[in-house]
Amino acid sequence: MFPLALFPTVPDNLQDMKARDALVYQNTFMKNALIRALNITYEMARKIEAVHPEFCSFLAYMESVCNILSLHLEGDDVFFQTLSLHCNEVAVVNNEIAIAFRKDLNSLLGLIGEWIESPDSYQHARLQDCLKKIESSITEVLHTQMSRFRGDALPNSIDDETLRVLVRGVSSLLSIEPPIDQCFPENMIWFGSRVDIAILLPFCTSHHDPLTSKYWPPVTSDAIEAIPDLARVHPHLWKFAPFDPVTRNATAVAL
């Protein structure tokens, strides 16, 4: 039930860990960022009305959260599809739960689209019902995906160096041109090629608790320096975030 529980993490620098041990935490930090966003969405859905001055910003925030969540789950699938090319022990199967969840997520995006077009048609009861409908499926999807990333769930035939390369991403899937690819590790480039980087990076920094790890998100100093400018591109989105995307200090949403 909402609020959804966060996954356990470690404060260590994942680059210093064996890739087999680090993989699950690489994935965990992003899932926790998304869980924080989903919890905020659910809490706000109980309070906000269409007449609120930040209502349209809230719809834009929800839309961004849903899009990033969908992309993250797709990225999980891409990782295991790529892993299967390196190891016959990894089977690529259709995850029926994930497929059903994506349908529910698309339904939520459809509602959000309706309300963006016609804010007066918004009914917070419909939003809450939709979120409650996906509550159990998203919990199951996230936990199922997490279990696949555990070190003991990975085939022993995959050596650490190969796995480390796969964790960084698949170069054939990248489409961002420099200087972005000089600032972000390849998995972030894969994301960045499919979502506005001015949304992705501030989302990560504004939904990650730096007290749990100072090493995430895994970007270079150049990318960190770019965050203030990136955060100014869509400032309305970060009004609902639990942390300031630039200072990383905790914030509170006041309605």
Side-chain angles (χ1 to χ4, degrees), residues 43 144 214:
E43 182 63 23
T144 299
K214 64 180 181 180

PDB file of all heavy atoms in Angstrom, residues 43 144 214:
ATOM      1  N   GLU A  43       0.260  11.079  -2.699  1.00  0.00           N
ATOM      2  CA  GLU A  43      -0.076  12.011  -1.623  1.00  0.00           C
ATOM      3  C   GLU A  43      -0.699  13.289  -2.182  1.00  0.00           C
ATOM      4  O   GLU A  43      -1.686  13.806  -1.646  1.00  0.00           O
ATOM      5  CB  GLU A  43       1.182  12.344  -0.817  1.00  0.00           C
ATOM      6  CG  GLU A  43       0.962  13.272   0.364  1.00  0.00           C
ATOM      7  CD  GLU A  43       0.051  12.689   1.431  1.00  0.00           C
ATOM      8  OE1 GLU A  43      -0.075  11.448   1.495  1.00  0.00           O
ATOM      9  OE2 GLU A  43      -0.546  13.473   2.188  1.00  0.00           O
ATOM     10  N   THR A 144      10.060  -7.967  -8.489  1.00  0.00           N
ATOM     11  CA  THR A 144      10.482  -9.027  -9.404  1.00  0.00           C
ATOM     12  C   THR A 144      11.738  -8.617 -10.160  1.00  0.00           C
ATOM     13  O   THR A 144      12.687  -9.398 -10.300  1.00  0.00           O
ATOM     14  CB  THR A 144       9.356  -9.355 -10.406  1.00  0.00           C
ATOM     15  OG1 THR A 144       8.212  -9.818  -9.694  1.00  0.00           O
ATOM     16  CG2 THR A 144       9.805 -10.425 -11.391  1.00  0.00           C
ATOM     17  N   LYS A 214      26.453   9.386  -1.456  1.00  0.00           N
ATOM     18  CA  LYS A 214      26.902  10.617  -2.112  1.00  0.00           C
ATOM     19  C   LYS A 214      27.410  10.347  -3.523  1.00  0.00           C
ATOM     20  O   LYS A 214      27.817  11.270  -4.228  1.00  0.00           O
ATOM     21  CB  LYS A 214      27.999  11.283  -1.288  1.00  0.00           C
ATOM     22  CG  LYS A 214      29.280  10.459  -1.170  1.00  0.00           C
ATOM     23  CD  LYS A 214      30.323  11.177  -0.328  1.00  0.00           C
ATOM     24  CE  LYS A 214      31.619  10.369  -0.232  1.00  0.00           C
ATOM     25  NZ  LYS A 214      32.642  11.065   0.584  1.00  0.00           N
TER      26      LYS A 214
END
